[in-house]
Amino acid sequence: MNKRRLIGIIPAAALLLLAACTQDEPGGQGNELPYGEYPLQIGGVTLDVESSVEPWSSKTPQTRVAEDNNGMSSVWQGNERIGVQIGSGQPGVYTVQADGSVTPDQPVYWTSTAPAAVTAWYPLAGTVDLSDQTNRLAYMLKAEVPDATYNNEITLGFKHQLAKVRVVLSGTQASLVQSVEIYGYTTCTNSEGAPVTDGSTKDWLKMKKQTYGNTECWEANVVPGDITLTDFIRINGQTATVNDGFPTTLDASKMYTIDLTVGKEITEITEENNFPINDDGYYQVSSTFNHQITVTDGSPTIYLEGASINVGDGPAINITSGTPTIHVIGEGNSVSSGNNTGIAVSGRATLTITGHSTADMLTANGGTSGSGDSGTAGAGIGSPVGGTQGGNIIIRNVTVHATGGSNSNVGGAGIGSSTNGPCGDITIEDAVIVANGGDCAAGIGMGCNNWNYTSPTASIGKITIADSDVTASGGYGAAAIGFSMSEPNAGSGTYRAGQITITTNDEAGFLSKLTPGQAYDTTPQLIGKGFYMFTPTFLNTAGTGPWEGVVINGTAYLDGVD
């Protein structure tokens, strides 16, 4: 079924009609008319919309003279020149404006009162290049009015003479695709709007990457005809398999969508299928999801793309075991807990957080519960609240903003341990980090021991930072990177930590972005120890020897860096 939308009517149509009516009407059908006195009257231009292989709405054309922002409507870009011909007479040229109006450049005239077919076509060029559509799709349109008459205006109803193919990619590797190509004729001859392929060759045509709403796809317009499914689409230079059932013949003026999975299929986590993850599968959160996600084993990959995971109780993402990867896509991703660690990593687990580049960003926030000696606070990313041994954390090729919970002299590290809790090794490579510790907690490292200072349980493993842009702030009395505030009033507890190793091309610049938390008019170290009034013992992680200090670009600072 054809559906038609009027795009524009030329402003001069009424004047042309008036001029024709004021002349003496020739008698009889087929009488000759004086040349130049009876111009063709074009009252409007439309783009016809035919039924498609998939159920598009009536406002959605199959191909477009220009791609509208929403991908759901047809527009003229303006200044498209169309050819127009009455019968077999001399062709003329008209220009279609952006608003759909038409102005004559080389008008055509009636030479007889006999009805005749009027044909119009776009583009004017004799050869249409289909080979590279990465910047703009190729188009071929044709309009036919079979029985036009000299004394009536006509509407040119254009139809697309090419077929549109759209490729929608999903899967674990979809975001890595740099090019999609389709096999077809590289050129065709525009024979008054009909594509002719005599003498043309076939090869891989480059498709245009488009975005409609939140959906990315690749599109190209091709010459209609038979196709071979096994040799039709190529992704990053490699041929992809199109499933059986896809049409093997493409018709003009119709759009065909191919859904392809690149890499492994990804399962969207929803409230209905939110079960503990214990495999090596691929999962995704791409919207607001206010429920805890738990990983109990395996090496799953969890993609966060436009994800907002916020819970009031417990860790938002709780990793109790396994070696999962959180893969961050885009900027708008956040994970937070109201009373615990945002992303909790327990002792038998190693978490990797990564992205395609530092343009991908994740925000992680810890929360708090209670206050004073009964208060607890979670890290942004690190060990869970409750003293459970934390696992290892690897962050690379991504931007992370992590903030520990903070409440009444109780705080968790931005990245590291929660209050009175131990965490494992922290490795940061080729990343951009903004880490803020809560009260008495380091930005990167140890959470608060403020009410547990005589026999502290918080500890940290090795901290290794390489080739990264790090901004870190310690909470009250804590180092920017390293230990928390060691003790506020009395006691001589034992604190354990691994060596802190920094590799950077700009040591002064790196140190300038570190801010320790001042306490009692005393400033803790930039990297190393927090404030203490009574000297505690600083040991290595095994508790068998002294703390190994800080190493920056191979230079050792055994007592930390002020």
Side-chain angles (χ1 to χ4, degrees):
M1 179 179 67
N2 290 343
K3 298 181 180 179
R4 178 169 296 170
R5 178 168 68 91
L6 186 64
I7 291 184
I9 299 177
I10 60 172
L15 295 178
L16 291 173
L17 182 59
L18 178 62
C21 293
T22 57
Q23 300 178 59
D24 294 333
E25 296 292 336
Q29 189 178 67
N31 292 346
E32 290 187 4
L33 296 172
Y35 185 79
E37 294 188 14
Y38 292 87
L40 177 68
Q41 303 170 43
I42 304 176
V45 177
T46 69
L47 274 176
D48 282 4
V49 178
E50 297 186 353
S51 60
S52 174
V53 174
E54 59 184 57
W56 280 22
S57 71
S58 61
K59 293 184 179 180
T60 310
Q62 315 318 312
T63 55
R64 307 172 188 88
V65 177
E67 306 304 303
D68 207 354
N69 292 335
N70 58 14
M72 298 294 289
S73 59
S74 180
V75 295
W76 297 93
Q77 285 188 320
N79 295 320
E80 285 93 351
R81 303 182 77 205
I82 60 174
V84 181
Q85 186 177 34
I86 300 175
S88 58
Q90 184 70 24
V93 178
Y94 293 74
T95 297
V96 180
Q97 304 300 335
D99 61 0
S101 63
V102 180
T103 55
D105 300 325
Q106 301 172 23
V108 291
Y109 295 92
W110 289 94
T111 59
S112 171
T113 60
V118 175
T119 306
W121 59 90
Y122 172 85
L124 286 176
T127 300
V128 177
D129 186 356
L130 306 165
S131 62
D132 187 351
Q133 301 182 45
T134 52
N135 294 320
R136 185 179 186 277
L137 300 187
Y139 301 95
M140 186 177 293
L141 310 174
K142 184 177 183 179
E144 293 179 290
V145 181
D147 295 310
T149 55
Y150 78 98
N151 56 350
N152 289 298
E153 68 177 20
I154 62 171
T155 296
L156 294 176
F158 281 94
K159 296 181 180 180
H160 297 278
Q161 303 303 299
L162 301 178
K164 176 184 285 293
V165 177
R166 173 180 292 174
V167 178
V168 180
L169 303 178
S170 61
T172 57
Q173 304 297 315
S175 59
L176 301 179
V177 172
Q178 299 296 314
S179 68
V180 180
E181 298 166 290
I182 185 170
Y183 195 76
Y185 285 104
T186 58
T187 62
C188 64
T189 302
N190 184 0
S191 177
E192 298 178 0
V196 178
T197 57
D198 295 344
S200 300
T201 59
K202 285 187 172 182
D203 205 340
W204 292 103
L205 317 179
K206 296 179 180 179
M207 304 184 80
K208 178 177 173 58
K209 188 176 184 179
Q210 307 272 49
T211 300
Y212 301 124
N214 294 323
T215 301
E216 287 188 348
C217 61
W218 301 75
E219 293 183 334
N221 293 335
V222 299
V223 175
D226 295 338
I227 62 171
T228 302
L229 296 182
T230 57
D231 196 28
F232 186 51
I233 298 295
R234 195 163 71 173
I235 298 173
N236 284 354
Q238 297 189 3
T239 303
T241 300
V242 179
N243 293 334
D244 291 339
F246 188 81
T248 56
T249 300
L250 305 183
D251 296 327
S253 191
K254 291 188 178 181
M255 196 274 287
Y256 301 82
T257 296
I258 301 174
D259 294 304
L260 293 177
T261 300
V262 185
K264 302 292 184 180
E265 270 196 72
I266 303 175
T267 299
E268 183 77 22
I269 297 176
T270 65
E271 185 176 357
E272 290 73 24
N273 70 357
N274 184 27
F275 305 107
I277 298 171
N278 58 4
D279 56 21
D280 298 343
Y282 296 85
Y283 301 87
Q284 176 172 281
V285 180
S286 56
S287 60
T288 299
F289 187 74
N290 297 327
H291 303 276
Q292 183 184 89
I293 296 172
T294 302
V295 177
T296 59
D297 207 351
S299 299
T301 299
I302 301 174
Y303 291 87
L304 301 183
E305 183 175 10
S308 176
I309 306 171
N310 304 290
V311 299
D313 185 26
I317 299 179
N318 189 23
I319 301 167
T320 62
S321 187
T323 55
T325 296
I326 293 177
H327 194 112
V328 181
I329 301 174
E331 297 181 351
N333 300 284
S334 65
V335 178
S336 64
S337 168
N339 65 1
N340 210 299
T341 297
I343 303 176
V345 187
S346 294
R348 294 186 300 167
T350 295
L351 168 66
T352 299
I353 301 175
T354 188
H356 295 313
S357 72
T358 53
D360 300 313
M361 189 174 79
L362 169 67
T363 299
N365 297 315
T368 63
S369 178
S371 61
D373 57 2
S374 62
T376 59
I381 304 169
S383 62
V385 166
T388 301
Q389 173 64 47
N392 301 321
I393 301 165
I394 300 169
I395 301 173
R396 59 167 64 103
N397 204 37
V398 68
T399 295
V400 172
H401 291 196
T403 301
S406 184
N407 183 14
S408 299
N409 292 331
V410 173
I415 302 172
S417 66
S418 60
T419 51
N420 305 325
C423 76
D425 296 341
I426 300 169
T427 302
I428 298 170
E429 300 173 338
D430 301 309
V432 175
I433 303 295
V434 178
N436 301 299
D439 276 350
C440 308
I444 301 174
M446 187 179 290
C448 177
N449 279 283
N450 193 25
W451 304 99
N452 197 35
Y453 48 84
T454 56
S455 54
T457 54
S459 67
I460 51 175
K462 294 183 294 183
I463 298 176
T464 303
I465 301 175
D467 304 317
S468 296
D469 182 345
V470 175
T471 301
S473 300
Y476 185 81
I481 301 175
F483 292 91
S484 63
M485 180 165 143
S486 301
E487 56 187 271
N489 297 308
S492 55
T494 300
Y495 294 81
R496 295 187 300 169
Q499 187 177 73
I500 302 173
T501 303
I502 310 293
T503 304
T504 176
N505 291 326
D506 181 8
E507 181 174 337
F510 185 94
L511 296 176
S512 71
K513 294 185 176 182
L514 305 182
T515 306
Q518 191 174 26
Y520 300 106
D521 297 325
T522 301
T523 300
Q525 291 183 310
L526 297 176
I527 307 174
K529 301 172 184 176
F531 167 78
Y532 55 89
M533 295 178 65
F534 293 85
T535 306
T537 302
F538 296 97
L539 299 177
N540 60 22
T541 53
T544 58
W547 176 53
E548 298 166 314
V550 180
V551 176
I552 303 179
N553 292 335
T555 300
Y557 303 86
L558 295 180
D559 200 38
V561 177
D562 293 319

